[in-house]
Amino acid sequence: MGSNPIRSTITVDCIDLVGAVFFMTRPVQGIIPPCGGHRPVGNRGRPGRLYPVDTALAIYFFRLIRIHKKFTIFCFLKKGFRIFIQNILIATVFCCCIFYWQLNTRGFFHPYGQQGVHMTIREELELREQEILSPWASLSKETRGRLKEEEPCDIRPAFQRDRDRILHSKSFRRLKDKTQVFLAPTGDHYRTRLTHTLEVSQNARTIAKALRLNEDLVEAISLGHDLGHTPFGHCGERALNRICPLGFEHNEQSLRIVDILERNGKGLNLCWEVRDGIFNHQMSGSPSTLEGQIVRFSDKIAYLHHDMDDAMRAGLLTEEEIPREISDVAGKTIGERLDFFIHDMIRNSQDKDVISMSEPAAKALQDMRTFMFRQVYSNPVAKAEESRAEQLVEVLYDYFFTHEDRLPDFYLHMIVDETSKMRAVCDYISAMSDHFAIAKYEELFVPKAWSVL
Ligand code: MG
């Protein structure tokens, strides 16, 4: 260091700087940075607490002031001015870079960073989505919004809130008594529309998690995709579509339920992405988000596999009847095949902006669908009651269309003209469960026994 005051001052400054950098960048014990930085985001309950890294930053500020002070003194004395300025400039630029880096890792430049301890749980979760999820994921924070604006929840991000709304809806509960393939099954182990929905959701969440896409959005779409299904599955849908001049499609009805019919006409007011996924969940649809695409595939994968399982339970199929072109590619059992299609989809969609399957897998799935249509979906044994179910739906439609006063008040109040009457009758009948539709038919058309003793 010697006797040269300039050199010794610069040396002390450099030692200070190295020390400050060391303190600032060393690992902070006991703090798990939730967002990858040093900043303890969301430390509610511990407001104002100083962490080692905060102390280091304070020391650093102090040293910057010292440097500035010395700079002023040397300018005044004009001793060794040129070399001093050079060194100070280099040190200051270096310090500024470190300072910027520290602020950045502490989230200071992040949209939520400056809110510090005031960050809500929802904001923390949104921030986590932003840091963890794939660049192609739909972020809750960036939703295109709801039909009606509303205050965000302080705990749940938008898609999680939508998932909960669907789960708590009446239409969701009614799915437990709606047909999947076998009409009003009495066996405990047959799928219903509710268990189908849950299996779609489980497959879709597995895929979304593996691809780092938004699991909440996928779950919301999955739980809502079949809300609009009629009693007696697709045959009820066919009957309503045939008899109602306005037509009837279950995906359109699912959207109508979440937008208008639920909560006594207020609707669930879901996010655009959830509504888009629900409306486009059929293979003919084209969802705008990757999460919607996942549900569209998961629906198909789920129904083909669990319907095959139910068909085997019902004695319509055996494992040995599964064509070789399917089992050779996808596996020998239902479990193996399900695993194969999900793995294939994940492998083929990683780091891509589209959800897809490999060619052999897509062909095997298509072969499976063709096989299921031939063996199960158009099987005369499984479909024996379908024509009666269709007839029942048509009779109920005719009855309520000509006796609208027998509709519940909620549907009756929707009627203002002929078109709205058709829609209201469709809304009422499509909302019925299998058992309710049968009970209503019996109430209206089956003579009751004389009960006076
Ligand atoms: Mg479905």
Side-chain angles (χ1 to χ4, degrees):
M1 297 184 212
S3 57
N4 186 331
I6 301 172
R7 203 176 297 161
S8 62
T9 306
I10 291 169
T11 308
V12 170
D13 280 339
C14 287
I15 292 167
D16 280 356
L17 192 62
V18 170
V21 169
F22 170 75
F23 278 111
M24 285 164 58
T25 54
R26 70 177 182 165
V28 183
Q29 296 298 319
I31 298 174
I32 301 165
C35 304
H38 287 301
R39 187 166 190 277
V41 177
N43 52 347
R44 275 176 314 284
R46 297 170 290 171
R49 180 171 169 185
L50 269 184
Y51 290 87
V53 74
D54 296 310
T55 316
L57 212 62
I59 293 168
Y60 179 67
F61 269 120
F62 174 70
R63 284 175 185 179
L64 261 188
I65 291 165
R66 270 185 65 189
I67 290 168
H68 179 68
K69 201 170 155 188
K70 285 170 189 169
F71 170 74
T72 313
I73 293 166
F74 273 88
C75 279
F76 180 72
L77 295 174
K78 292 185 180 176
K79 280 185 182 174
F81 185 69
R82 196 172 59 83
I83 189 168
F84 177 76
I85 290 293
Q86 273 179 1
N87 281 290
I88 283 296
L89 279 178
I90 291 166
T92 306
V93 168
F94 179 66
C95 291
C96 287
C97 291
I98 295 285
F99 190 48
Y100 172 80
W101 171 59
Q102 278 294 316
L103 288 177
N104 196 32
T105 53
R106 289 156 66 84
F108 190 81
F109 299 109
H110 193 275
Y112 289 148
Q114 296 177 40
Q115 295 174 25
V117 295
H118 303 300
M119 188 181 274
T120 63
I121 294 173
R122 170 182 56 78
E123 288 165 340
E124 277 180 38
L125 293 172
E126 287 173 349
L127 191 58
R128 202 172 297 172
E129 275 186 4
Q130 197 168 329
E131 297 200 352
I132 291 171
L133 296 186
S134 138
W136 292 286
S138 306
L139 301 180
S140 308
K141 185 171 173 283
E142 292 174 2
T143 172
R144 294 199 206 178
R146 302 178 184 280
L147 290 176
K148 286 165 269 177
E149 248 184 68
E150 58 180 75
E151 273 296 300
C153 175
D154 61 338
I155 293 175
R156 297 166 297 167
F159 300 145
Q160 194 184 339
R161 200 178 191 189
D162 286 3
R163 186 271 319 271
D164 295 351
R165 285 181 182 180
I166 294 169
L167 193 79
H168 290 113
S169 68
K170 286 192 281 189
S171 326
F172 184 76
R173 293 199 290 279
R174 288 197 299 264
L175 294 177
K176 79 182 171 65
D177 276 331
K178 291 195 178 191
T179 287
Q180 171 54 31
V181 170
F182 296 94
L183 297 191
T186 49
D188 287 341
H189 299 145
Y190 287 101
R191 268 73 171 189
T192 63
R193 194 57 63 176
L194 180 66
T195 54
H196 159 71
T197 297
L198 296 176
E199 289 184 38
V200 172
S201 170
Q202 187 263 319
N203 292 343
R205 285 177 56 202
T206 301
I207 297 165
K209 197 164 195 164
L211 295 175
R212 290 188 298 121
L213 295 172
N214 198 315
E215 228 181 309
D216 290 335
L217 176 56
V218 149
E219 194 176 9
I221 299 171
S222 302
L223 297 186
H225 83 284
D226 270 354
L227 291 179
H229 250 297
T230 58
F232 313 117
H234 288 286
C235 71
E237 183 176 15
R238 277 197 302 274
L240 271 187
N241 188 43
R242 192 166 49 236
I243 196 163
C244 176
L246 301 175
F248 184 90
E249 296 280 343
H250 79 271
N251 61 321
E252 290 174 10
Q253 189 66 15
S254 296
L255 192 62
R256 185 169 161 77
I257 285 173
V258 297
D259 282 353
I260 299 168
L261 300 177
E262 266 297 331
R263 291 202 296 191
N264 298 320
K266 290 190 214 125
L268 300 179
N269 198 27
L270 304 181
C271 293
W272 185 91
E273 293 77 1
V274 179
R275 298 174 58 245
D276 170 75
I278 288 175
F279 184 75
N280 289 297
H281 78 266
Q282 292 171 296
M283 287 315 284
S284 54
S286 52
S288 303
T289 62
L290 294 196
E291 287 81 357
Q293 292 178 30
I294 288 178
V295 176
R296 192 178 54 154
F297 274 112
S298 298
D299 187 26
K300 188 174 178 182
I301 291 174
Y303 77 68
L304 286 176
H305 285 82
H306 62 51
D307 290 351
M308 186 178 276
D309 187 42
D310 280 354
M312 287 179 183
R313 179 167 294 107
L316 298 177
L317 268 186
T318 60
E319 191 61 60
E320 290 67 42
E321 290 176 74
I322 307 299
R324 290 285 302 272
E325 62 262 31
I326 299 170
S327 56
D328 284 353
V329 176
K332 308 285 179 211
T333 65
I334 290 172
E336 277 180 24
R337 289 190 284 272
L338 187 59
D339 206 47
F340 166 79
F341 287 117
I342 289 176
H343 273 80
D344 184 272
M345 192 183 296
I346 292 169
R347 265 197 306 274
N348 267 273
S349 310
Q350 262 171 341
D351 301 321
K352 289 184 189 162
D353 61 355
V354 67
I355 303 296
S356 61
M357 281 182 178
S358 67
E359 228 169 84
K363 186 183 175 307
L365 195 67
Q366 192 51 43
D367 288 344
M368 206 165 148
R369 188 166 183 269
T370 309
F371 172 74
M372 285 296 288
F373 265 94
R374 192 176 61 235
Q375 296 294 112
V376 179
Y377 301 140
S378 53
N379 186 302
V381 178
K383 303 287 111 177
E385 297 301 309
E386 277 200 352
S387 58
R388 291 188 202 184
E390 286 184 35
Q391 212 176 352
L392 185 151
V393 169
E394 289 182 359
V395 168
L396 286 179
Y397 180 91
D398 279 336
Y399 177 83
F400 285 108
F401 191 73
T402 48
H403 301 81
E404 69 260 31
D405 54 309
R406 297 294 302 271
L407 285 169
D409 285 349
F410 173 69
Y411 298 100
L412 191 59
H413 291 151
M414 288 164 56
I415 298 174
V416 288
D417 54 19
E418 281 292 288
T419 308
S420 56
K421 185 157 83 168
M422 291 172 198
R423 187 49 67 205
V425 174
C426 267
D427 287 340
Y428 181 49
I429 294 175
S430 64
M432 293 177 182
S433 64
D434 293 9
H435 298 304
F436 185 88
I438 293 168
K440 190 51 80 177
Y441 181 87
E442 285 176 352
E443 177 193 319
L444 296 172
F445 300 107
V446 176
K448 291 167 192 63
W450 187 257
S451 59
V452 179
L453 297 174

